[in-house]
Amino acid sequence: LTLYPSRLATIAAVEGHAPAAGCLLALACDYRVGARGPYAMGFNEVQFGLRVPPWFVPVIQSTVGTRQTERLLQLGSLVSFEEAKELGMLDEV
């Protein structure tokens, strides 16, 4: 993702569910804002036998920590935007 190493500030405005690549795209941004509502985000591609690109795992770890990264990647469950804010995946809801 060329957003992550960019010298420009990047902002993700998430106005709906952000599973799989949508979550990756949001986490690659410097600032992430989620809309209020019954929305969720996460890495549910693992439920289908796919995996997050290995080069992106350190980005997830630096955002939510090692233990939460393991939980998110092993279970593949989506988390509400409120929980995502608590984990550090979103800056504002």
Side-chain angles (χ1 to χ4, degrees):
L1 247 81
T2 56
L3 288 176
Y4 190 66
S6 173
R7 290 181 280 149
L8 301 174
T10 55
I11 301 170
V14 187
E15 291 191 73
H17 296 292
C23 188
L24 288 175
L25 183 60
L27 289 181
C29 293
D30 298 310
Y31 192 69
R32 299 167 296 276
V33 179
R36 293 197 184 279
Y39 306 122
M41 65 189 309
F43 307 102
N44 66 332
E45 64 264 42
V46 299
Q47 294 178 357
F48 306 109
L50 303 173
R51 63 184 183 138
V52 172
W55 52 265
F56 203 80
V57 173
V59 175
I60 303 168
Q61 288 175 327
S62 68
T63 303
V64 301
T66 302
R67 183 67 188 117
Q68 290 301 327
T69 298
E70 290 174 359
R71 183 177 74 89
L72 291 168
L73 295 180
Q74 289 172 356
L75 297 178
S77 56
L78 299 177
V79 296
S80 69
F81 277 13
E82 289 77 21
E83 185 178 352
K85 183 179 177 188
E86 291 174 16
L87 292 173
M89 296 168 74
L90 290 174
D91 297 301
E92 296 290 330
V93 176

